[in-house]
């Protein structure tokens, strides 16, 4: 058995490198190898970029976006301690935070800019602390202090220590809006629209702004199973006595994840078709080889080579192109994935264009995460398509009439 495969391999190499091989046939063979290599390279690189965006979404953006959120229907939560206790008892809840959230207008001279004000506990933990200086985070504990997004502060021409007037709608009936003078004690830089729209104050300052003397307006939960957020929210929410709006990240920001998955599926479809077209050149190459090598095939059959052995010869010949293309494409895809951020930075440097503007997106460079499973999957798909492409020409080779082939 081993000897038959060894003989088939030697014959396949001779057929592939035969001296009488035409230049056109060599061109078709090389194009099939190049097509498979390009397909594998682009496939691996594209999947690595999709993995990078998914990782950034989970590890960065969703740290600032509440995984689960319970918001009071009217004014404030009546029993926030009960909700916090239930959250702490749930095995999938990592952290629970009390928040007072409201919408307001920052007044600077004659200019008004909308801002989402988040009242948080400065003595606790919050993801936004990672995007501001330690001094800015500690300054939230000071009375009547506020930390704004860096782009919002720049738009208002505010710097550390400046005074600003914050106008907040009254939570009680139709009373006049609440105005309060606050001191800008720091800024944060997260990226995207967050830096244009958000501000953070202490819970004590938020109570003065909203008039919520007891309790809070919102409880935010962080969970360890992102895609089970809706189920966890329901399990906790159905036990509450408060009337709450129940929300989770999949409802508010799930479109980002769905967009990534949709692009991934489209990429699978398109690149599999690209590989299929490249493998079609293997079919053309082998059929032309069968036509050119009819005399050799006839001689081999008269010398006792069985039809199964002839199939092995042409399958192995076609796989040489496929395996060579897979090897080159996989190596090129790995190298390109590793160096893609640097290459794109060079493109931005020499063209003067910005691919990902930090004031629009929450990242300023293309994220890449190379996974071994993707590499093996791409190589396996390309190998299977290459193998399938060899079957028809190999079967055609067994149908060559021996007598006519020798006498030709």
């Amino acid at each position: 058995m081993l000897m038959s495969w060894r003989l088939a391999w030697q014959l396949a190499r001779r057929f592939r490198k035969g001296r009488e091989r035409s230049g056109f046939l060599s061109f078709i063979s090389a194009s099939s190898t190049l097509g498979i290599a390009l397909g594998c390279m682009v496939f691996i690189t594209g999947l690595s970029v999709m993995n990078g965006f998914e990782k950034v979404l989970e590890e960065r953006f969703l740290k600032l976006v509440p995984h689960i959120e319970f918001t009071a229907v009217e004014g404030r939560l009546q029993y926030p301690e009960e909700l916090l206790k239930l959250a702490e008892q749930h095995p999938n809840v990592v952290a629970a935070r009390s928040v007072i959230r409201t919408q307001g207008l920052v007044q600077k001279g004659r200019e008004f800019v909308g801002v989402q004000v988040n009242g948080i506990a400065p003595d606790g933990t919050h993801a936004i602390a990672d995007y501001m200086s330690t001094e800015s985070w500690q300054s939230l504990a000071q009375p009547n202090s506020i930390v704004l997004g860096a782009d919002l502060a720049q738009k208002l021409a505010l710097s550390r220590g400046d005074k600003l007037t914050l106008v907040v709608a009254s939570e009680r009936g139709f009373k006049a809006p609440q105005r309060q003078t606050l001191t800008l004690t720091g800024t944060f830089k997260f990226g995207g629209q967050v830096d244009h729209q958000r501000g953070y104050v202490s819970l004590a300052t938020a109570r003065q702004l909203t008039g919520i003397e007891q309790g809070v307006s919102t409880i935010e939960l962080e969970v360890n199973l992102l895609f089970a957020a809706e189920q966890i929210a329901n399990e906790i929410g159905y036990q509450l006595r408060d009337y709450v709006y129940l929300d989770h990240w999949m409802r508010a920001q799930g479109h980002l994840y769905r967009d990534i998955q949709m692009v991934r599926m489209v990429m699978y479809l398109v690149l599999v078709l690209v590989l299929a077209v490249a493998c079609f050149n293997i079919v053309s190459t082998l059929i032309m080889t069968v036509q050119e090598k009819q005399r050799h095939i006839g001689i081999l059959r008269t010398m006792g080579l069985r039809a199964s052995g002839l199939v092995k010869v042409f399958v192995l010949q076609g796989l040489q192109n496929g395996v060579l293309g897979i090897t080159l494409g996989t190596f090129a895809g790995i190298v390109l994935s590793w160096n893609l951020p640097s290459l794109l930075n060079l493109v931005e440097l020499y063209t003067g264009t910005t691919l990902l503007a930090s004031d629009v997106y929450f990242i300023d460079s293309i994220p890449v995460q190379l996974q071994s499973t993707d590499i093996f999957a791409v190589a396996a798909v390309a190998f299977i398509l290459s193998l399938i492409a060899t079957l028809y020409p190999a079967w055609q080779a067994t149908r060559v009439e021996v007598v006519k082939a020798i006498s030709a």
Side-chain angles (χ1 to χ4, degrees):
M1 181 68 176
L2 181 62
M3 288 298 296
S4 64
W5 279 104
R6 185 178 299 175
L7 175 62
W9 172 252
Q10 292 174 351
L11 291 172
R13 292 189 62 187
R14 282 179 174 273
F15 280 3
R16 189 169 183 267
K17 298 182 178 181
R19 293 182 179 179
E20 67 275 14
R21 193 176 186 179
S22 67
F24 180 71
L25 184 58
S26 298
F27 172 77
I28 296 296
S29 177
S31 65
S32 66
T33 301
L34 181 61
I36 294 172
L38 288 175
C40 290
M41 180 187 71
V42 175
F43 209 163
I44 290 173
T45 305
L47 290 178
S48 299
V49 172
M50 292 297 102
N51 293 336
F53 275 109
E54 189 172 333
K55 181 180 179 181
V56 169
L57 176 67
E58 294 180 5
E59 295 186 358
R60 182 178 178 185
F61 186 68
L62 290 182
K63 278 192 174 183
L64 201 57
V65 173
H67 298 169
I68 298 173
E69 193 173 57
F70 298 98
T71 304
V73 174
E74 295 182 358
R76 64 184 179 89
L77 295 170
Q78 298 292 328
Y79 309 99
E81 296 80 8
E82 178 183 336
L83 201 161
L84 290 171
K85 184 178 180 180
L86 288 172
E88 291 171 357
Q89 292 174 350
H90 198 285
N92 299 120
V93 176
V94 177
R97 293 186 290 268
S98 299
V99 179
I100 295 178
R101 183 178 298 120
T102 187
Q103 302 293 329
L105 294 172
V106 177
Q107 182 179 2
K108 177 65 174 179
R110 295 183 177 180
E111 187 174 5
F112 287 87
V113 178
V115 61
Q116 182 192 84
V117 181
N118 297 269
I120 58 177
D123 56 346
T125 58
H126 198 283
I128 196 60
D130 297 333
Y131 302 97
M132 65 176 71
S133 66
T134 304
E135 185 179 3
S136 296
W137 173 251
Q138 294 175 348
S139 70
L140 281 175
Q142 300 173 12
N144 299 324
S145 63
I146 185 170
V147 175
L148 294 177
D151 293 332
L152 179 57
Q154 183 180 5
K155 181 178 180 179
L156 293 168
L158 294 171
S159 57
R160 186 183 181 88
D162 288 349
K163 302 289 184 180
L164 58 93
T165 300
L166 186 64
V167 182
V168 178
S170 175
E171 297 287 344
R172 299 178 179 176
F174 297 94
K175 292 185 178 181
Q178 177 75 26
R179 288 174 177 265
Q180 185 161 340
T181 301
L182 302 177
T183 302
L184 180 64
T185 57
T187 60
F188 66 88
K189 185 67 176 178
F190 177 79
Q193 294 301 306
V194 173
D195 294 346
H196 294 267
Q197 299 171 347
R198 288 196 187 182
Y200 289 87
V201 298
S202 65
L203 280 174
T205 302
R207 293 187 194 282
Q208 296 177 15
L209 292 171
T210 60
I212 299 177
E213 298 176 357
Q214 299 292 329
V216 293
S217 64
T218 304
I219 298 292
E220 297 178 350
L221 304 186
E222 181 181 345
V223 299
N224 54 12
L225 298 176
L226 289 175
F227 299 103
E230 182 176 4
Q231 178 184 348
I232 297 170
N234 291 334
E235 290 173 357
I236 298 175
Y238 291 153
Q239 302 179 57
L240 300 178
R241 287 186 290 170
D242 271 311
Y243 291 104
V244 298
Y245 293 116
L246 192 157
D247 206 357
H248 51 85
W249 76 271
M250 283 295 291
R251 183 178 299 165
Q253 304 293 338
H255 64 280
L256 295 174
Y257 180 80
R258 288 190 292 270
D259 289 346
I260 292 174
Q261 297 307 311
M262 183 184 68
V263 172
R264 186 193 295 271
M265 292 303 300
V266 171
M267 185 176 296
Y268 274 122
L269 177 61
V270 171
L271 292 178
V272 166
L273 291 176
V274 169
L275 288 175
V277 171
C279 291
F280 182 77
N281 286 332
I282 294 179
V283 178
S284 303
T285 301
L286 292 181
I287 289 178
M288 294 176 67
T289 302
V290 170
Q291 296 298 321
E292 285 192 352
K293 303 293 185 180
Q294 285 196 15
R295 189 166 182 273
H296 297 78
I297 293 171
I299 294 173
L300 289 172
R301 293 300 302 275
T302 58
M303 293 175 65
L305 183 65
R306 296 180 179 179
S308 60
L310 195 59
V311 169
K312 292 177 185 178
V313 171
F314 283 94
V315 167
L316 290 176
Q317 182 184 348
L319 284 179
Q320 289 180 63
N321 289 344
V323 171
L324 178 59
I326 293 169
T327 303
L328 294 176
T330 300
F331 178 76
I334 293 173
V335 172
L336 181 59
S337 296
W338 283 342
N339 296 279
L340 186 62
S342 300
L343 292 175
L344 293 177
N345 287 337
L346 288 176
V347 171
E348 290 181 346
L349 180 64
Y350 284 106
T351 61
T353 59
T354 302
L355 299 178
L356 290 176
S358 59
D359 59 340
V360 177
Y361 305 97
F362 57 93
I363 53 176
D364 56 5
S365 62
I366 299 293
V368 175
Q369 185 184 26
L370 188 63
Q371 294 183 355
S372 58
T373 53
D374 290 333
I375 297 173
F376 289 125
V378 170
V381 169
F383 182 83
I384 292 172
L385 290 176
S386 300
L387 177 61
I388 293 174
T390 64
L391 298 180
Y392 176 73
W395 176 72
Q396 283 290 98
T398 63
R399 294 172 58 85
V400 173
E401 297 183 13
V402 178
V403 177
K404 289 184 178 181
I406 295 176
S407 60

